[in-house]
Amino acid sequence: MTPLSGRAISAGPFSALATFLPVDHFLLMVLYALLLSMFLAVLWGSDRPARLRLFAKIFGALVIGGLAVAWLMYPFPS
Amino acid sequence: MSEPLSLSETTPAKAWTATVLAWVFPGLGHFYLGKRRRALFYAAVVTVTFLFGISLEGRLDTPEPGAPLTYLATFASLGSGLLSILARLLIENPRGNVLSVTYEYGCMFLRTAGLMNLLLALDAFDVAMGRKP
């Protein structure tokens, strides 16, 4: 994981947060999946067990789906 | 956590007020409806997602003539309500930093925060109308 210290920060009062964020693509994808799956699980789940199941399904689908798409794109040069 | 509104308490005016409040700030609509724990959770998740987007040097989208997708992106970005408006006023460069390695992630976090908040506005309406606990 690389720190953000080398980046030109232009986010003004919010830039302090940048120190804690990774620039690693996989970690950012996991962070994104975590936030989104937590949100959707609470929004759509009716009770705690349902929310936990939904969280696991959405988080797994986002991370495994992202890796699968990346693997499928691997043979194609950029 | 307080009890959900009874049917006698649910009025279209209350539902629209909750919807507008939910758009203004994440979780405010649910807080207004008495769903305080849920409101705090939603406020935390959407605000953190938004601030990550800003910190990752994403762009707060604006419409550009000849680029129809920018209209959709602007709609998503403005979904964050006050967060989006304040950030446009406060930060040095609301268009983000396209040269940053995290620019695309930043844009995605910002648009996702807006879309989450729009879902919350719809959810607040449903809760207020008694369609959802």
Side-chain angles (χ1 to χ4, degrees):
Chain A
M1 186 162 62
T2 317
L4 289 183
S5 55
R7 295 192 312 162
I9 302 295
S10 60
F14 305 110
S15 60
L17 258 181
T19 328
F20 303 104
L21 290 173
V23 285
D24 182 278
H25 286 239
F26 178 73
L27 289 179
L28 281 173
M29 184 183 80
V30 170
L31 183 65
Y32 178 85
L34 190 70
L35 287 166
L36 188 58
S37 50
M38 273 166 49
F39 173 82
L40 292 177
V42 173
L43 186 71
W44 290 338
S46 51
D47 51 18
R48 186 180 284 261
R51 284 174 180 158
L52 285 172
R53 276 196 304 274
L54 200 53
F55 169 79
K57 277 183 195 170
I58 298 172
F59 182 73
L62 286 171
V63 173
I64 294 167
L67 288 175
V69 170
W71 182 75
L72 285 172
M73 287 169 69
Y74 195 70
F76 302 100
S78 57
Chain B
M1 193 157 63
S2 50
E3 291 297 311
L5 294 172
S6 69
L7 278 180
S8 60
E9 289 173 299
T10 58
T11 61
K14 197 160 198 164
W16 283 110
T17 307
T19 308
V20 172
L21 286 174
W23 174 78
V24 169
F25 190 79
L28 198 55
H30 290 80
F31 192 84
Y32 170 73
L33 296 170
K35 311 282 182 189
R36 297 199 175 149
R37 278 176 57 192
R38 234 189 291 174
L40 287 175
F41 173 81
Y42 290 144
V45 172
V46 177
T47 306
V48 164
T49 306
F50 184 85
L51 292 179
F52 280 178
I54 294 287
S55 299
L56 292 168
E57 302 186 273
R59 173 197 172 111
L60 288 158
D61 296 285
T62 45
E64 286 172 17
L69 288 178
T70 60
Y71 290 86
L72 283 175
T74 306
F75 176 74
S77 177
L78 282 173
S80 307
L82 207 56
L83 286 175
S84 177
I85 295 166
L86 281 178
R88 283 165 204 268
L89 297 173
L90 286 175
I91 68 173
E92 197 180 313
N93 182 16
R95 297 175 73 85
N97 176 10
V98 75
L99 297 175
S100 168
V101 70
T102 57
Y103 170 78
E104 294 293 345
Y105 279 98
C107 295
M108 199 50 60
F109 273 75
L110 287 172
R111 291 169 195 154
T112 302
L115 292 173
M116 281 178 179
N117 202 36
L118 291 174
L119 277 178
L120 284 185
L122 296 174
D123 189 68
F125 186 85
D126 278 348
V127 172
M129 293 301 284
R131 295 174 191 157
K132 205 179 161 190

